[in-house]
Structures are given as structure tokens and as C-alpha cells.
Amino acid sequence: MQEALEVFERIADHHEVAVCLHNLGSIYHRRAEPARAEPLYRRALAIKERALGPDHPELATTLTNLGTLCEQRGRAAEALVFYGRAISVLEGVVEDDHPTLTVCREQQAALSTRE
């Protein structure tokens, strides 16, 4: 994944760079290395926002992963912002039972009751 990222980075802030950054961040996240995952997710999100726009549904996965990571790191307020954004880019675009939309709604509700 790191090699693919290096290849795509030669193209500049291309969408494929964001995909690689997100996937690499996801690997670190799953390996319980949040300090390595977070900057990759954030950079992926920034590139996706520039390439696709701030309301594109493809941002939802990165927003959701950032929400989960922030929640795991004890930053509930920040997690709520990411979950809320993911919900807003998905609502009206995907079915109400879409897995990512469902997870974000559930996580948002759970965090809201803890606050």
C-alpha cells in the first residue's frame, strides 16, 4: 500500500492518492496504531474534499473512520462532528438502511446519550 501511495503521489493530489491514504490509514487503525492512522485519514479527507467537493457521498467512509478513531481516542465531541458530516452526505443519496449511514446514526445516538 505504501508503494502504491508513493506512485500515486507523483500525480499530486489525485483522487487515487486519497484512496491509498485512506486504505493505509485503515490498516494502521486496525493494527491499533491510531497516531499513524489519523493523519492519513485527515489527508485523505482533504484531498477527497478538493477533488470531489465537500458534500460528495464518497467522503462518508473516511468521515466515519475518523469518527470511530476520535471516539476510540476519547474525543467524543470531535467524533460527533465526523459522524454528523457522514450522515449529511449520505442522507437522501443512499437508502435509509445503508450500512455506513446506519453505523453513523447508531454511533451518533450512542455518543449523544453519553454526553
Side-chain angles (χ1 to χ4, degrees):
M1 188 58 64
Q2 186 66 44
E3 290 176 22
L5 176 60
E6 291 169 10
V7 168
F8 284 121
E9 282 182 317
R10 293 185 203 133
I11 304 170
D13 278 352
H14 188 273
H15 179 257
E16 290 300 326
V17 172
V19 171
C20 285
L21 287 165
H22 175 94
N23 291 341
L24 190 56
S26 187
I27 290 168
Y28 288 130
H29 194 171
R30 286 191 171 97
R31 290 172 55 185
E33 297 182 56
R36 293 180 81 178
E38 187 169 354
L40 297 171
Y41 283 150
R42 289 184 182 274
R43 190 166 158 223
L45 180 61
I47 293 169
K48 286 180 179 183
E49 288 172 330
R50 282 192 302 274
L52 305 171
D55 298 321
H56 196 283
E58 191 172 317
L59 275 64
T61 304
T62 303
L63 290 164
T64 302
N65 287 2
L66 274 164
T68 303
L69 189 138
C70 288
E71 184 177 356
Q72 291 168 344
R73 298 186 91 185
R75 299 186 337 239
E78 195 173 357
L80 283 169
V81 171
F82 287 122
Y83 291 140
R85 275 198 64 203
I87 291 166
S88 72
V89 300
L90 290 175
E91 281 182 333
V93 179
V94 299
E95 297 294 324
D96 269 352
D97 63 348
H98 186 277
T100 303
L101 182 56
T102 300
V103 165
C104 287
R105 285 177 173 158
E106 289 171 356
Q107 292 305 107
Q108 186 183 52
L111 277 176
S112 294
T113 59
R114 284 187 250 160
E115 289 288 298

